[in-house]
Amino acid sequence: MTTFPVQYSTLSTRALEAFIIQQYGEPALTCRLLLKGVSDTYLVEKCGQPRYIFKVYRRKHRSLYEIQGEVELLNHLHEGGAAVAYPIADREGRQIQDFNAPEGLRHGVLFSYAQGQPVYDLTTRQLQLLGREMARVHNITSAITLTHERETFDIQRLLLQPLQVLAPAYKDYPEGYTYLTTTAEKVVDRLNALPTADFSTGYVQYDFLPKNFHFDASDRITFFDFDFAGKGWLANDHASFFIHFFFHVAHNKITPADADRDFAIFIAAYRSVRGFSDAELTAVPYLGFIFWIFYLAYQYEHFEDWSNFFFSNRYLVERVGVIRRYTELHCAL
């Protein structure tokens, strides 16, 4: 019987475990599936202790060229002394592995493990460390050009194109889509009024939420998951972290005054290592609105492979409510 075509398979943990042991020459490793998300993430342990992360990219999510760009970026960061989880080469010097999966060729990368765990209630010390380390990352990413170029993160790519993608999703909730598009026009006007030509540019991680960095017991930080990296205003990274405080206030974890204080501590620490203008700081809340739209469109585009367990008409309505609350609190429109 002919094998029926598939669009998304899951690699066997046992087979992947054997592959990693053979390919990287390190015995006694165990492998288990940690997360089926944007990519499939496997935890690789030795003697019960986390040792590596192996990430297998979805075929529809990232091309080989895009993965090469991510790996190249992380190599630059690691070699420059940034606190990042970095790609590990196998015994033959290869950092990207190929797998002939049922849906076609897929690619995987073994990463060093980010020791520690995510911290959502950040202390003053942790906020300061985070600000300084993000600045050090930006000092590197603003000074390099990748051979395997990542996409350009401009207004067209992050906002206008995603709004076009989202139009069919809101066919049963047109007033919600009207709110998003009219608010987007106002956000663009606010950004156009700022000296954006003077904004610092470089490669951004574009998902600097606490889920993507760990603190160990000694408060050493490690950044990971640069899967969405692109080239644009560095302030986009500050904006993604700004979203964390909105979530924390919305869930009654901290007060608005606490959030303002904590973000100011983070910004001051960043500025102690790298410049960040008042105009860039003013832009952060508006860039936060754009962050919401970009990822909402991504969720819609990848419904069949990833987001179908939560993406629905109800989710779209709720998401507009969340975005409306965010803009009312943080954007003068």
Side-chain angles (χ1 to χ4, degrees):
M1 180 182 294
T2 302
T3 301
F4 199 85
V6 302
Q7 64 187 39
Y8 181 21
S9 64
T10 304
L11 302 190
S12 161
T13 53
R14 298 286 76 81
L16 191 57
E17 178 179 299
F19 173 88
I20 294 171
I21 290 173
Q22 176 182 355
Q23 202 69 21
Y24 292 86
E26 188 169 351
L29 293 176
T30 59
C31 175
R32 63 183 174 90
L33 182 62
L34 186 64
L35 176 67
K36 285 177 65 70
V38 172
S39 302
D40 293 338
T41 302
Y42 297 81
L43 178 63
V44 181
E45 297 180 303
K46 188 169 187 177
C47 300
Q49 297 299 313
R51 192 70 174 267
Y52 306 106
I53 289 291
F54 197 89
K55 182 162 71 173
V56 180
Y57 297 80
R58 282 190 292 113
R59 182 174 169 83
K60 289 176 61 177
H61 173 56
R62 289 286 176 244
S63 68
L64 175 59
Y65 186 87
E66 290 173 311
I67 298 168
Q68 289 169 328
E70 178 188 350
V71 167
E72 185 182 350
L73 175 62
L74 287 168
N75 285 335
H76 277 291
L77 288 169
H78 178 55
E79 291 162 7
V84 297
Y86 53 90
I88 303 293
D90 67 11
R91 292 188 296 179
E92 298 175 357
R94 293 181 298 190
Q95 292 181 309
I96 301 176
Q97 306 299 336
D98 301 331
F99 300 96
N100 189 20
E103 68 269 33
L105 194 63
R106 296 180 66 182
H107 307 285
V109 177
L110 186 71
F111 293 93
S112 63
Y113 185 77
Q115 297 297 328
Q117 59 187 358
V119 177
Y120 295 89
D121 297 309
L122 294 151
T123 66
T124 295
R125 180 184 176 186
Q126 289 167 337
L127 288 164
Q128 291 171 335
L129 179 61
L130 175 61
R132 292 193 296 268
E133 291 302 324
M134 182 191 285
R136 292 188 178 102
V137 166
H138 285 170
N139 281 341
I140 297 170
T141 67
S142 62
I144 61 174
T145 299
L146 299 178
T147 302
H148 302 88
E149 190 60 276
R150 297 289 291 198
E151 62 181 328
T152 298
F153 279 170
D154 54 15
I155 295 296
Q156 177 66 33
R157 176 64 186 94
L158 295 181
L159 179 62
L160 303 183
Q161 180 182 325
L163 282 172
Q164 293 174 351
V165 167
L166 283 167
Y170 279 93
K171 66 182 188 302
D172 296 325
Y173 182 36
E175 61 272 29
Y177 186 70
T178 298
Y179 170 76
L180 295 181
T181 55
T182 56
T183 303
E185 291 174 358
K186 296 174 183 177
V187 165
V188 172
D189 287 342
R190 293 296 186 273
L191 290 172
N192 285 340
L194 295 172
T196 55
D198 298 329
F199 284 11
S200 294
T201 61
Y203 298 98
V204 294
Q205 190 260 9
Y206 206 50
D207 199 11
F208 260 119
L209 292 168
K211 65 185 178 69
N212 289 327
F213 50 84
H214 284 175
F215 286 96
D216 69 8
S218 301
D219 271 350
R220 287 186 293 263
I221 192 172
T222 305
F223 299 118
F224 57 91
D225 198 357
F226 281 68
D227 184 42
F228 280 95
K231 194 169 188 177
W233 295 328
L234 297 180
N236 282 304
D237 274 345
H238 304 76
S240 64
F241 184 53
F242 185 75
I243 297 293
H244 159 68
F245 295 101
F246 168 76
F247 279 131
H248 232 38
V249 170
H251 293 145
N252 296 315
K253 299 294 185 180
I254 57 175
T255 67
D258 290 334
D260 290 344
R261 181 203 63 211
D262 287 354
F263 191 68
I265 292 170
F266 160 75
I267 291 295
Y270 182 95
R271 283 172 162 168
S272 71
V273 175
R274 179 180 176 84
F276 192 67
S277 71
D278 288 342
E280 289 172 304
L281 183 58
T282 299
V284 163
Y286 303 102
L287 296 177
F289 170 83
I290 293 174
F291 179 87
W292 288 108
I293 301 301
F294 175 83
Y295 278 103
L296 185 61
Y298 179 83
Q299 292 163 356
Y300 176 61
E301 286 185 295
H302 294 265
F303 177 82
E304 289 192 348
D305 289 345
W306 170 59
S307 60
N308 56 64
F309 71 97
F310 68 85
F311 197 95
S312 63
N313 287 334
R314 177 180 177 180
Y315 178 78
L316 289 168
V317 172
E318 291 177 345
R319 189 61 21 162
V320 169
V322 170
I323 294 172
R324 186 189 298 272
R325 182 178 179 185
Y326 171 86
T327 54
E328 289 175 349
L329 284 173
H330 300 298
C331 301
L333 301 174

